[in-house]
Amino acid sequence: MIPDATLRIGTYELHSRLIVGTGKYPSLDVMQRAHAASGAQMVTVAIRRISLDDPSGKTLLDYIDRTKYTVLPNTAGCTTAKDAILTAQLARELLDTDLIKLEVIGDSRTLYPDTVETIAAARELVRDGFTVLPYIVDDPTACKRLEEVGCAAVMPLGAPIGSGLGVCNPYSISIIKENAGVPVIVDAGVGTASDAAIAMELGVDAVLMNTGIAAARDPVAMAHAMRLGVESGRMAFLAGRMEKKRYANASSPLTDLIGTAK
């Protein structure tokens, strides 16, 4: 049992430090089973990409059990602060929630966020009563600015969205966490369970992922593996790793042996 299992984001409390997405799955049934295997309690949904064309009249939201999962709507697809604010307001009306994962994309090829527009949108959304979780570059200064305007967490990228490259700059992530007074959630780039463990070993509070699970050969098995990666990484961080050394240090030293003859 991890001793500090509770993750607090604003007024919300979660017992899982893994947040998962809802896109790119081969089917909605696979998505549901992967969510269950992940142990996640929060799932993110792109409001601008909810299809209303299902002949049954159902939308993606009908396949998420809101008695089990807290829905974190996101502003994916927005490229300006104005669009992101409008999307957040629509999400609040649709889902009756103050939660919003803020995404304002500045480059269509790398999907890197626009820092200036993100901070501008965050400032307005916080004033409007939202609990804002912004996706942002792995820049300690940008993360601090977002905290200062009132964001409930900061979500620096580990690597470009959907790349599966893992945490490309662990030093920046470590500095962000060191300076943060709110939860730090690594968002984007996690490709496999070892990436999740590495992120958590840096001391971050949670990991958000989608493609790493949804695009796996077996998404359900990968979701379970990601759960274990997050849990083991968190426990390793709390345990405190050994000091790194340049030279060998025998596991069974020949000095200070119990019972050594004087």
Side-chain angles (χ1 to χ4, degrees), residues 49-167:
R49 294 171 182 160
I50 293 177
S51 174
L52 302 177
D53 298 329
D54 191 311
S56 69
K58 291 185 175 180
T59 71
L60 172 63
L61 295 170
D62 292 302
Y63 295 89
I64 300 171
D65 185 348
R66 295 183 66 185
T67 66
K68 295 180 179 178
Y69 304 105
T70 297
V71 175
L72 173 63
N74 69 60
T75 65
C78 294
T79 57
T80 66
K82 181 179 178 180
D83 285 346
I85 291 167
L86 176 59
T87 302
Q89 291 168 339
L90 291 172
R92 180 165 60 185
E93 292 299 316
L94 177 64
L95 297 171
D96 189 27
T97 181
D98 67 335
L99 279 168
I100 194 70
K101 179 192 171 191
L102 176 61
E103 295 183 34
V104 186
I105 299 301
D107 180 82
S108 61
R109 184 169 62 90
T110 64
L111 298 181
Y112 266 44
D114 184 317
T115 300
V116 173
E117 292 289 294
T118 299
I119 294 173
R123 181 179 291 109
E124 291 303 313
L125 290 171
V126 168
R127 287 174 180 169
D128 197 19
F130 283 90
T131 298
V132 182
L133 288 72
Y135 164 66
I136 194 63
V137 291
D138 54 345
D139 176 355
T141 301
C143 288
K144 182 52 68 174
R145 295 291 177 268
L146 287 163
E147 180 181 341
E148 289 170 350
V149 302
C151 291
V154 291
M155 306 179 77
L157 57 81
I161 292 173
S163 67
L165 292 173
V167 180

Side-chain angles (χ1 to χ4, degrees), residues 1-5 17 200-201 203 231-241:
M1 179 66 69
I2 300 176
D4 69 336
R17 292 176 181 269
M200 295 303 295
E201 286 174 5
E231 291 177 354
S232 63
R234 181 63 178 175
M235 191 170 289
F237 169 73
L238 294 174
R241 66 158 294 139

Side-chain angles (χ1 to χ4, degrees), residues 242-249:
M242 63 170 283
E243 179 186 355
K244 292 183 178 181
K245 300 176 181 178
R246 293 180 62 191
Y247 299 102
N249 185 20

